[in-house]
Amino acid sequence: MQLKILHLDDNAYELTEFANQLLRPFDACSFAVESVLNFSEFENALKAFEPDLIILDVELEATPTNRSGVDICRDTRRKYPHAPILMRSRHESPKVIRECIEAGAADYILKSSESEMVQLRLLQTYNLLGPNTHLNKSLTTKIAGETMRSVAQRVPRIADSDIRSIHCFGETGTGKEVVADLFRAYMGAGKPFVVVNCGSLSPTLMESQLFGYVKGAFTGATTDRRGFFEAAHRGFIYLDEVALLTDKAQQGLLRVIENQEVTRLGANEVIKLDVRVISATNEDLTTLVKSGKFRGDLQQRLKETTIVLPPLRDRKNEINELIDHFLGSFAKGPYSITPAVRLLLNNFDWREGNVRQLRSCLRAMTEYKVGSELSILGVPKVLFENAKSDPNNAEASLLPDEFEFPLIFENLSDELLVRVINSLYKQKGILSLRKISEECHYPRTTLANKLKQLSDKSPDMKAELAKWVKLK
């Protein structure tokens, strides 16, 4: 294996010394080093070299053409979330180390470190944070956005650790099921992976379904039956909506996590297990504990490590990537959208359903496709209302002041088109069909037919359009 290293330092001597440290192959791994002296060279090399690892000098002299190492780390992490970054320094300062980690660095190495130590740290960092080759390739096509990619990088580390309980927290639609799929894909078909929606379990049957029962334990128990936890032995169990478990079920779950054992309903025999628990909620367990709705000791056991999925409104930088991902993944796609529709989708807060709501919205819009392009006709009314209520949205002036009900999307589209043409006329003067077609991403022939239909609707509309557009 060969790792490509991009190294930025404004000291030519340090660049040479570091490159020399990586000359000898280490643990069946060799290194190809690209050394650059300034930020401009660094930016060019990022695109051309496509490094596996990035090394940045902490003590870069901040000049108009060469920014500080921490600033470059922060910007690089935002633009290239995949590439692991290591900071290199002459000094070991807790304050500086913290700044580097907060900026997105994966590690911090001293310039005085021995060659073998440097190579070991590089290899360890790549194995932990580099591209994940272990996950099922068919599943990785379902991953989009920096948030989920960072989770995907954690999955192999968690699965190969001694962690027995993972808690996933996020609002409805943020991707908790995708997290479960990532673990299932990494474990492969040879390991059990049991999915349980706790909200769908009957409170009276919950214990018997989770922990199993023996013949005669209750009316209708005509045979012994294992529960979900036994089915997950030597694998994982995913408990969605875990906050909905009854008190007795919570007590039994606590025993499974703490002692790795279960007792079937109606039995005295203890069954030893080897099971790892992934739990998920859209409510904060700490808040539920304070309100007395969840056991505090169970909350602590469930959260040996936590995966937090922020709402989509807090990671708007991911919306465009998610849009493109969904448009390319629909069965009858790929589809495209106009810049105006993309703007509306970016300005919406997706508070009700987050990523799932965005996907559903785009799927609904395929009803009004024009060729492979999703038309403004298909944009749900709620998105227009959201854009109009935002005082910072410059496009709101193009939206109707009032909607007529019942809402007819064709009429809404006509009104929007007229307002767009009026706005363009005010900016650019009398317009040609070609110019409107280019600005609105609207086929010229379709536009001509649409404007003729509008002109035929009323003399007033015909007169207005004649002022703005050369129809012939």
Side-chain angles (χ1 to χ4, degrees):
M1 178 176 69
Q2 184 182 66
L3 295 183
K4 296 192 293 184
I5 311 294
L6 176 58
H7 182 201
L8 170 61
D9 196 308
D10 54 5
N11 186 317
Y13 173 79
E14 293 290 354
L15 290 174
T16 303
E17 284 294 299
F18 181 79
N20 288 338
Q21 286 185 315
L22 303 183
L23 285 177
R24 292 180 59 187
F26 173 80
D27 194 22
C29 175
S30 61
F31 302 89
V33 183
E34 180 77 7
S35 302
V36 293
L37 278 166
N38 56 57
F39 180 65
S40 177
E41 293 179 1
F42 175 75
E43 279 197 310
N44 293 333
L46 266 177
K47 299 173 184 176
F49 190 58
E50 297 183 353
D52 297 309
L53 293 167
I54 296 171
I55 312 295
L56 297 176
D57 178 26
V58 173
E59 290 93 6
L60 283 174
E61 182 180 353
T63 67
T65 58
N66 207 41
R67 298 148 64 212
S68 75
V70 175
D71 287 340
I72 294 174
C73 176
R74 186 178 294 108
D75 290 347
T76 304
R77 167 60 57 235
R78 186 166 56 248
K79 294 177 184 177
Y80 301 92
H82 299 297
I85 302 172
L86 294 90
M87 304 301 290
R88 190 165 177 261
S89 174
R90 297 186 189 90
H91 311 291
E92 199 165 26
S93 161
K95 178 183 177 183
V96 176
I97 292 174
R98 184 175 66 250
E99 288 177 355
C100 292
I101 299 303
E102 289 175 351
D107 204 348
Y108 185 99
I109 55 179
L110 289 174
K111 292 183 177 181
S112 58
S113 300
E114 297 293 332
S115 297
E116 287 191 359
M117 177 57 69
V118 171
Q119 293 185 354
L120 177 62
R121 297 279 279 278
L122 294 178
L123 190 56
Q124 285 177 334
T125 302
Y126 180 78
N127 287 338
L128 284 173
L129 302 177
N132 190 351
T133 58
H134 303 288
L135 287 174
N136 187 318
K137 289 185 178 179
S138 65
L139 180 65
T140 57
T141 60
K142 300 179 182 179
I143 300 174
E146 182 180 344
T147 298
M148 203 53 68
R149 280 193 295 270
S150 66
V151 173
Q153 288 179 336
R154 291 186 62 191
V155 166
R157 302 202 304 268
I158 294 173
D160 294 337
S161 73
D162 282 322
I163 293 171
R164 305 209 67 85
S165 59
I166 306 103
H167 182 66
C168 186
F169 167 66
E171 292 181 5
T172 298
T174 48
K176 297 185 290 295
E177 299 85 357
V178 177
V179 174
D181 288 341
L182 288 170
F183 276 98
R184 175 161 41 196
Y186 181 75
M187 298 308 297
K191 295 275 187 175
F193 195 98
V194 178
V195 177
V196 181
N197 187 328
C198 300
S200 68
L201 301 179
S202 166
T204 55
L205 299 176
M206 190 175 289
E207 288 179 85
S208 62
Q209 290 176 298
L210 289 173
F211 311 121
Y213 57 85
V214 295
K215 181 179 178 180
F218 52 86
T219 303
T222 58
T223 184
D224 292 355
R225 176 162 295 186
R226 68 176 185 169
F228 291 131
F229 280 99
E230 283 186 70
H233 179 53
R234 293 180 179 168
F236 279 86
I237 186 169
Y238 173 66
L239 301 175
D240 196 13
E241 298 185 61
V242 70
L244 298 180
L245 291 178
T246 63
D247 289 340
K248 286 189 175 180
Q250 288 183 39
Q251 184 177 353
L253 174 56
L254 180 65
R255 183 182 179 187
V256 171
I257 297 174
E258 186 70 20
N259 301 323
Q260 287 290 296
E261 62 184 33
V262 67
T263 301
R264 292 181 181 179
L265 199 65
N268 295 318
E269 179 188 359
V270 173
I271 301 172
K272 299 301 291 185
L273 296 177
D274 177 13
V275 64
R276 302 169 76 177
V277 177
I278 305 173
S279 59
T281 59
N282 55 21
E283 298 180 83
D284 182 28
L285 286 182
T286 303
T287 303
L288 294 175
V289 169
K290 290 179 180 178
S291 62
K293 297 179 181 178
F294 202 80
R295 293 179 63 114
D297 49 1
L298 177 57
Q299 178 218 200
Q300 294 173 10
R301 302 301 194 284
L302 287 174
K303 297 171 100 173
E304 281 189 350
T305 192
T306 303
I307 295 173
V308 178
L309 300 175
L312 189 53
R313 60 185 174 275
D314 291 344
R315 43 181 168 125
K316 288 208 165 187
N317 60 310
E318 298 182 25
I319 289 180
N320 279 327
E321 183 182 346
L322 289 167
I323 290 172
D324 295 335
H325 170 73
F326 291 134
L327 292 178
S329 65
F330 292 152
K332 296 184 179 180
Y335 298 99
S336 61
I337 57 174
T338 65
V341 176
R342 190 178 289 272
L343 180 66
L344 286 170
L345 296 177
N346 273 272
N347 283 344
F348 194 59
D349 62 12
W350 307 106
R351 191 172 295 272
E352 293 181 10
N354 292 287
V355 179
R356 186 186 296 126
Q357 186 184 8
L358 171 62
R359 182 187 61 194
S360 298
C361 173
L362 289 166
R363 186 177 284 128
M365 288 172 62
T366 62
E367 178 185 354
Y368 294 91
K369 63 182 182 292
V370 179
S372 64
E373 186 173 76
L374 304 189
S375 165
I376 194 87
L377 291 170
V379 175
K381 177 174 71 74
V382 65
L383 266 69
F384 288 108
E385 291 179 336
N386 185 86
K388 188 170 179 58
S389 66
D390 182 0
N392 298 317
N393 180 10
E395 300 298 316
S397 60
L398 301 178
L399 301 178
D401 293 325
E402 295 181 359
F403 292 98
E404 295 183 7
F405 292 92
L407 184 68
I408 300 174
F409 280 108
E410 185 174 354
N411 293 342
L412 180 60
S413 174
D414 291 345
E415 186 167 357
L416 281 169
L417 180 59
V418 170
R419 288 180 178 239
V420 168
I421 294 173
N422 183 23
S423 177
L424 288 172
Y425 167 73
K426 290 177 181 178
Q427 297 174 32
K428 304 177 184 295
I430 297 176
L431 303 160
S432 65
L433 287 174
R434 179 183 61 80
K435 188 64 177 175
I436 300 172
S437 175
E438 291 174 353
E439 293 284 346
C440 298
H441 297 265
Y442 211 66
R444 188 171 172 179
T445 302
T446 307
L447 176 65
N449 293 334
K450 175 65 71 175
L451 293 179
K452 185 178 185 305
Q453 292 173 10
L454 290 173
S455 297
D456 293 344
K457 279 187 177 181
S458 75
D460 291 341
M461 179 62 72
K462 184 175 182 178
E464 286 297 311
L465 288 173
K467 294 178 187 177
W468 307 333
V469 186
K470 294 178 182 177
L471 293 176
K472 295 182 180 180

